[in-house]
Amino acid sequence: MTPSAQKETNSNTRTHFTSQLQELPIGSEVKVAGWIEDFRDIGKLGFILLRDVTGLVQTVLVGENLQKAKSIPRQSNILITGVVQGTKSKNFPIEIKVTEIFVFSHASLSLPVDPTGRVESNLDTRLDSRALDLRNPKISNIFILRSNILRIIRDFFSENKFIEVNTPKIIGSASEGGSNLFSFNYFKRKGFLAQSPQLYKEQLVLSLDRVFEIAPYFRAENSHTLRHLNEFLSVDLEAAYLDYYDIMNLMEELIKKILVYMRDSNYFDNENPLFKENSLNDLISIPFPKISYDKCLDELTSVGEKVTFGDDLSDSSLRKLGEKFDKFYFIVDWPLNLKPFYIHEKESNPALSKSFDLQFGHLELVSGGTRQHDVSKLKSRLAEQGLSAENFKDHLRVFEWGMPPHSGSGLGFDRLMMVLLGLNNIREAVLYPRDTSRISP
Amino acid sequence: MTPSAQKETNSNTRTHFTSQLQELPIGSEVKVAGWIEDFRDIGKLGFILLRDVTGLVQTVLVGENLQKAKSIPRQSNILITGVVQGTKSKNFPIEIKVTEIFVFSHASLSLPVDPTGRVESNLDTRLDSRALDLRNPKISNIFILRSNILRIIRDFFSENKFIEVNTPKIIGSASEGGSNLFSFNYFKRKGFLAQSPQLYKEQLVLSLDRVFEIAPYFRAENSHTLRHLNEFLSVDLEAAYLDYYDIMNLMEELIKKILVYMRDSNYFDNENPLFKENSLNDLISIPFPKISYDKCLDELTSVGEKVTFGDDLSDSSLRKLGEKFDKFYFIVDWPLNLKPFYIHEKESNPALSKSFDLQFGHLELVSGGTRQHDVSKLKSRLAEQGLSAENFKDHLRVFEWGMPPHSGSGLGFDRLMMVLLGLNNIREAVLYPRDTSRISP
């Protein structure tokens, strides 16, 4: 066998994250890497507060190291070699006595945002400098939590026998109406960016039974609000033999798991409006209320809203409902005319549908329902909605191969994060948001 | 509180997946749902073989149920109510004595592919009818394994302190050269579909330290091969303070975890060429060989290939190398001129780069390297490659904020699945593949 190529040696290797230091015995030699959050010089002594993604550590400098530290700009990236020792500081359990400083990379003296949070910047400036903005732990914690919640969601699906699938984002026909699709040249024909995996996930229950997908989707809607983006992460599921009540049960269990995790992980206990204004027990008391669309109309009429059967609920109406139902709740049994062609009618009243929205106050988080699996009814529904069955022929033929009854839902993940963290703008929950005026960085 | 809406009752509810039946006591009453894989009528007795995504069960019919079964086409979706009993069959541990058959949905008598596998279809026909194709357990097992391996990969990243991120798929400038990007109208400007998260994941190590993303990317390359698609799933990671040897170590550990899982789960033991031709111990003996690009040239020259320093390795060359190195191995230290602007040169020989490809035989699975984090060198490299620093200004400014040294890699997940399952066409590993001639279903 040919001898393997060899690594060049490198002594600039971190031994610990800052969060791991307090477990070490006093006297341990360590190398920690991160950025200079602050530097204080009090004469013969100086202090670098070194931050990494896991936390902050105080380091103590004297002599040559102190002299060197004076010339390194804040936010520069460094490696500190030193020894763990006790500290008189009230803010830190231990500190590091520095034996060596190595500078990986100097930061510019002029920075577009202040990651310590002392100087506030507006959201556009922060998003333009997102990487630096993320050095503020209040901001990075949003995305650490986001990552952890994605893991909780996937584990939940696994426990419930869902198979993860990857469906195409490039599609060949403008399904579901299609007025809001981005389109482009795909070799010799027209391609579109998918706005949901709806048709694919339904097709897949024919054989995979229960599927889920967490993926980006795209909507070419020319509107600018605090709660919509043109690219968004969607959590989709579809399950054979379940109905919309089963899906609502799954959503309740999932939300409960996430909230309990947030409580236990203590990330946001003191600052999160969700937990400030509601006890965890109130939030996770399941089942969540299930308010029928009809009942919503009664409620709205009683507070003077003008809305009649068959009308969609306007933002104003949803805000009124959100005042009365101010936590998680479902609006169920929407008029069939308001729902896409693939939603099943209620047998007991075919003007209604087996559908639900999961709301938090006035915000819609999840939309779901029992699907129509009778191909002749699907065709009638398409015709009713002015859609051409010919455009859906690849989809409709699947329903002639022994399609099980099935139900599913789609959850707007960015918006869920917005609610869970009490953020007032969905852009706060997305690393590089895409809206009508923002396509970079 | 307004009383909640109520679920309509439904007795057609599955109690068990078929794989759960053999754990039950004889005499248990069960409801199982799935499709009719086969039906045999031997006079007073009949048998439906009922399949779901977890397995196959034999059910025994007499009397009215047998009469009813005769009229239900194969592949129809049904619910069988019955009682678990012992069986004389050699193929099944138990069987179900049927008390009731409920038909959810009749299958057409004429089907485009035969999911039992008795009649073979060509790949195009199968992909046109993918949902039905997936009723063949040999096919669905590919995607169940795919789902399980995605879980293993994410768990591995979590254990190694990587944070999952979601970077945008719509980008505002044609980065990395950009000749292979799909472009489209994004409101009043031009948008592109990302071909990798490269620039974003590098930016994010400034503050998040270690990040990973598993997401779809897009390449507008007008070529048709057995191992490329125009939409593909990429497993990307980027880590501060690690070098390319550390990333190779991570890749080795990850591949080992996946292979051990495959062995232990027994999915493909008998039919998988990978395991037929190689012992697991041979495959997972790590470290994998690391062959320098220079050494590759020696090997190739010795077998008569004409290739000189600075040439990319052609398909023919890679096939020759793949004959000698026929399992997993790395090609390391590629000429700098062959690598993108963001790859770091080797200090000991600046004509070389700190880069690697993970190969399996002639197939490239992973590409990675240590990144350049010195902004002035990045600018020189852009100029050398004829790229405009102006187009990268959002990216380059991040390197002035105290960027740590970092390394990373991208793994073509569909191609990895192809290798792990010994598939000869990448389309076998993707539910709805996208190539120059295929954009639907």
Side-chain angles (χ1 to χ4, degrees):
Chain A
M1 178 61 67
T2 311
S4 264
Q6 294 297 314
K7 179 180 163 90
E8 295 177 348
T9 55
N10 176 8
S11 64
N12 292 325
T13 301
R14 160 170 68 188
T15 60
H16 296 84
F17 285 94
T18 61
S19 63
Q20 297 171 318
L21 297 174
Q22 60 188 98
E23 300 153 17
L24 299 176
I26 298 295
S28 301
E29 189 163 300
V30 297
K31 289 173 190 279
V32 287
W35 56 90
I36 300 174
E37 179 163 291
D38 208 355
F39 171 65
R40 277 178 302 132
D41 175 11
I42 56 169
K44 288 188 178 164
L45 268 185
F47 301 92
I48 284 177
L49 296 186
L50 184 83
R51 187 177 286 282
D52 67 15
V53 71
T54 71
L56 188 69
V57 65
Q58 173 164 286
T59 73
V60 190
L61 306 122
V62 293
E64 273 179 36
N65 285 321
L66 178 56
Q67 288 312 309
K68 183 172 182 179
K70 289 177 188 176
S71 69
I72 311 172
R74 285 177 174 75
Q75 299 298 326
S76 294
N77 214 300
I78 63 174
L79 181 83
I80 280 186
T81 306
V83 176
V84 176
Q85 64 182 20
T87 178
K88 291 174 195 158
S89 163
K90 288 173 191 160
N91 300 323
F92 298 95
I94 56 99
E95 64 188 19
I96 292 177
K97 187 179 168 186
V98 177
T99 54
E100 195 184 337
I101 307 177
F102 179 82
V103 181
F104 287 122
S105 157
H106 286 85
S108 161
L109 290 172
S110 146
L111 296 173
V113 299
D114 173 13
T116 68
R118 278 179 223 132
V119 185
E120 289 206 359
S121 298
N122 69 39
L123 181 59
D124 268 327
T125 306
R126 287 175 39 221
L127 292 175
D128 286 341
S129 312
R130 190 51 131 169
L132 188 59
D133 182 45
L134 285 163
R135 284 202 168 162
N136 181 335
K138 283 190 192 164
I139 310 297
S140 62
N141 276 343
I142 294 172
F143 296 96
I144 294 170
L145 183 68
R146 191 178 153 113
S147 171
N148 290 336
I149 290 178
L150 285 172
R151 197 169 68 230
I152 291 169
I153 294 175
R154 292 202 190 87
D155 289 348
F156 178 79
F157 284 137
S158 284
E159 288 157 20
N160 285 284
K161 296 184 179 292
F162 283 82
I163 296 169
E164 179 171 0
V165 296
N166 308 108
T167 65
K169 306 304 160 244
I170 295 177
I171 56 175
S173 59
S175 56
E176 299 179 59
S179 57
N180 288 331
L181 299 187
F182 292 107
S183 67
F184 59 102
N185 290 325
Y186 186 83
F187 304 105
K188 286 174 188 155
R189 55 193 110 175
K190 204 166 177 185
F192 302 89
L193 290 182
Q195 67 182 144
S196 91
Q198 183 64 36
L199 306 189
Y200 294 104
K201 66 180 182 165
E202 283 197 62
Q203 291 171 26
L204 291 170
V205 301
L206 183 86
S207 36
L208 298 183
D209 210 302
R210 296 183 183 183
V211 299
F212 80 96
E213 180 168 20
I214 302 180
Y217 292 94
F218 311 93
R219 191 156 32 202
E221 196 163 311
N222 193 354
S223 74
H224 198 95
T225 80
L226 297 180
R227 57 182 196 278
H228 294 91
L229 291 172
N230 295 100
E231 175 176 342
F232 57 98
L233 198 74
S234 181
V235 176
D236 278 276
L237 68 91
E238 201 70 26
Y241 313 114
L242 299 190
D243 74 7
Y244 69 131
Y245 273 79
D246 299 318
I247 305 294
M248 285 192 276
N249 291 347
L250 285 171
M251 289 296 109
E252 287 166 346
E253 291 294 339
L254 178 58
I255 297 284
K256 181 174 171 178
K257 275 205 175 218
I258 292 170
L259 290 170
V260 167
Y261 169 79
M262 285 180 68
R263 191 260 325 259
D264 294 348
S265 65
N266 264 332
Y267 275 129
F268 298 89
D269 233 15
N270 299 316
E271 298 183 26
N272 184 341
L274 183 68
F275 290 155
K276 239 187 211 165
E277 291 159 20
N278 304 283
S279 79
L280 182 72
N281 283 341
D282 274 358
L283 287 171
I284 64 176
S285 120
I286 58 177
F288 297 150
K290 294 183 179 68
I291 320 298
S292 72
Y293 172 90
D294 280 339
K295 184 76 199 168
C296 288
L297 292 198
D298 293 347
E299 296 284 346
L300 289 168
T301 307
S302 77
V303 294
E305 284 278 305
K306 284 198 174 153
V307 52
T308 55
F309 184 87
D311 292 349
D312 206 352
L313 300 184
S314 65
D315 190 52
S316 147
S317 291
L318 289 171
R319 284 180 191 271
K320 290 254 163 62
L321 285 175
E323 284 165 23
K324 171 142 188 171
F325 306 106
D326 60 351
K327 301 185 185 66
F328 293 101
Y329 67 103
F330 293 101
I331 303 177
V332 302
D333 298 351
W334 291 75
L336 189 64
N337 70 292
L338 291 177
K339 288 291 169 184
F341 71 91
Y342 48 78
I343 291 286
H344 205 292
E345 79 283 357
K346 273 196 92 153
E347 285 88 351
S348 58
N349 179 353
L352 297 178
S353 65
K354 294 180 168 179
S355 60
F356 71 86
D357 283 2
L358 172 60
Q359 300 278 133
F360 183 82
H362 70 284
L363 285 171
E364 177 201 329
L365 296 177
V366 181
S367 190
T370 302
R371 317 308 190 182
Q372 180 58 260
H373 67 281
D374 176 326
V375 68
S376 62
K377 287 188 183 169
L378 278 173
K379 286 175 182 168
S380 315
R381 291 275 289 140
L382 282 169
E384 271 169 45
Q385 303 202 346
L387 295 167
S388 146
E390 176 61 21
N391 284 347
F392 291 84
K393 67 178 193 306
D394 284 335
H395 182 62
L396 294 172
R397 62 201 289 261
V398 179
F399 290 75
E400 292 175 354
W401 299 337
M403 182 60 99
H406 58 283
S407 300
S409 63
L411 177 158
F413 185 69
D414 310 312
R415 198 181 285 180
L416 176 66
M417 288 303 301
M418 185 183 165
V419 164
L420 293 175
L421 293 174
L423 305 171
N424 64 8
N425 189 328
I426 195 169
R427 291 159 188 77
E428 296 274 5
V430 175
L431 285 170
Y432 296 93
R434 291 297 178 250
D435 61 31
T436 52
S437 61
R438 179 173 284 282
I439 193 174
S440 63
Chain B
M1 179 60 67
T2 311
S4 263
Q6 295 296 314
K7 180 180 162 87
E8 294 177 349
T9 55
N10 175 9
S11 64
N12 293 325
T13 302
R14 159 171 68 186
T15 60
H16 296 84
F17 285 93
T18 61
S19 62
Q20 298 171 318
L21 297 174
Q22 61 188 98
E23 301 153 18
L24 299 175
I26 298 295
S28 301
E29 188 163 299
V30 296
K31 289 174 189 279
V32 287
W35 56 91
I36 300 173
E37 179 163 293
D38 207 355
F39 171 65
R40 278 177 300 131
D41 175 11
I42 56 169
K44 286 188 178 164
L45 268 184
F47 300 92
I48 284 177
L49 296 185
L50 184 82
R51 188 176 285 282
D52 66 17
V53 71
T54 70
L56 188 69
V57 63
Q58 173 163 285
T59 72
V60 190
L61 307 122
V62 293
E64 273 179 35
N65 285 320
L66 178 56
Q67 288 312 309
K68 183 172 182 181
K70 289 178 188 175
S71 68
I72 311 173
R74 285 176 176 75
Q75 299 297 326
S76 295
N77 212 300
I78 64 174
L79 181 84
I80 280 186
T81 306
V83 176
V84 176
Q85 65 182 21
T87 177
K88 291 174 194 159
S89 163
K90 289 173 191 160
N91 299 324
F92 298 94
I94 55 98
E95 63 188 20
I96 293 175
K97 187 178 169 188
V98 177
T99 53
E100 196 184 336
I101 306 177
F102 179 82
V103 180
F104 288 123
S105 156
H106 285 84
S108 161
L109 289 172
S110 147
L111 295 173
V113 298
D114 173 13
T116 69
R118 277 179 223 133
V119 185
E120 289 206 1
S121 297
N122 68 39
L123 181 59
D124 267 327
T125 307
R126 287 175 40 221
L127 292 176
D128 287 342
S129 312
R130 191 52 132 165
L132 187 60
D133 182 45
L134 285 163
R135 282 199 170 165
N136 182 334
K138 284 190 192 163
I139 310 297
S140 61
N141 276 343
I142 295 173
F143 295 96
I144 294 169
L145 183 68
R146 191 179 152 111
S147 170
N148 290 336
I149 290 178
L150 285 173
R151 198 170 67 230
I152 289 169
I153 295 176
R154 291 201 189 88
D155 288 348
F156 178 78
F157 284 138
S158 283
E159 288 157 19
N160 285 285
K161 297 185 179 291
F162 284 81
I163 296 169
E164 178 172 0
V165 295
N166 308 107
T167 65
K169 307 303 160 246
I170 295 177
I171 56 176
S173 59
S175 57
E176 298 178 59
S179 58
N180 288 330
L181 299 186
F182 292 107
S183 67
F184 58 101
N185 290 326
Y186 186 82
F187 303 103
K188 285 175 190 154
R189 55 193 112 175
K190 205 165 177 185
F192 301 89
L193 290 182
Q195 69 183 141
S196 91
Q198 184 63 37
L199 306 189
Y200 293 103
K201 66 180 183 167
E202 284 197 60
Q203 292 171 25
L204 291 170
V205 299
L206 183 86
S207 37
L208 298 183
D209 210 302
R210 297 183 181 183
V211 299
F212 80 96
E213 180 167 21
I214 303 180
Y217 293 94
F218 311 93
R219 192 155 32 203
E221 195 163 312
N222 193 353
S223 74
H224 198 94
T225 81
L226 297 180
R227 57 181 197 278
H228 295 91
L229 291 172
N230 296 99
E231 176 176 343
F232 57 99
L233 199 72
S234 181
V235 176
D236 278 276
L237 67 89
E238 201 71 25
Y241 313 115
L242 300 190
D243 74 7
Y244 69 131
Y245 272 79
D246 299 319
I247 305 293
M248 285 192 276
N249 291 348
L250 285 170
M251 289 297 109
E252 287 166 345
E253 291 294 339
L254 178 59
I255 298 284
K256 181 173 171 178
K257 274 206 177 220
I258 292 169
L259 289 170
V260 167
Y261 169 80
M262 285 179 69
R263 190 259 325 260
D264 294 347
S265 65
N266 263 331
Y267 273 130
F268 300 90
D269 233 16
N270 299 316
E271 298 184 26
N272 183 344
L274 183 67
F275 290 153
K276 240 187 211 162
E277 291 160 21
N278 304 283
S279 79
L280 183 71
N281 283 341
D282 276 356
L283 287 171
I284 64 177
S285 118
I286 59 177
F288 297 151
K290 294 182 179 71
I291 320 297
S292 72
Y293 171 88
D294 280 338
K295 185 77 199 163
C296 287
L297 292 199
D298 294 347
E299 296 284 346
L300 289 168
T301 307
S302 77
V303 295
E305 285 277 307
K306 287 201 172 146
V307 53
T308 55
F309 184 86
D311 291 350
D312 206 352
L313 301 185
S314 66
D315 191 52
S316 148
S317 291
L318 288 171
R319 283 180 192 272
K320 290 255 162 61
L321 285 175
E323 283 165 23
K324 171 140 188 173
F325 307 105
D326 60 350
K327 302 186 183 65
F328 293 101
Y329 66 103
F330 293 102
I331 303 178
V332 302
D333 298 351
W334 291 75
L336 189 63
N337 71 292
L338 291 177
K339 288 293 170 182
F341 71 93
Y342 50 77
I343 291 286
H344 205 293
E345 79 283 358
K346 271 195 94 156
E347 284 88 352
S348 57
N349 179 353
L352 297 178
S353 65
K354 294 182 168 179
S355 60
F356 71 86
D357 282 4
L358 173 61
Q359 300 278 135
F360 183 82
H362 69 285
L363 285 172
E364 176 202 332
L365 297 177
V366 181
S367 192
T370 302
R371 317 307 190 183
Q372 181 56 262
H373 67 283
D374 176 326
V375 69
S376 62
K377 289 189 182 167
L378 278 173
K379 286 176 183 167
S380 315
R381 293 274 290 140
L382 282 170
E384 270 168 45
Q385 303 203 345
L387 295 167
S388 146
E390 176 61 21
N391 284 346
F392 291 85
K393 65 178 196 304
D394 285 335
H395 182 61
L396 294 171
R397 62 203 289 262
V398 178
F399 290 75
E400 293 175 350
W401 299 336
M403 181 61 98
H406 57 284
S407 300
S409 63
L411 177 160
F413 185 70
D414 310 312
R415 197 181 285 179
L416 175 67
M417 289 303 301
M418 185 182 166
V419 164
L420 293 175
L421 293 174
L423 305 170
N424 65 8
N425 189 328
I426 196 168
R427 291 159 188 76
E428 295 275 4
V430 175
L431 285 169
Y432 296 93
R434 291 296 178 250
D435 62 30
T436 52
S437 61
R438 180 173 284 281
I439 193 175
S440 61

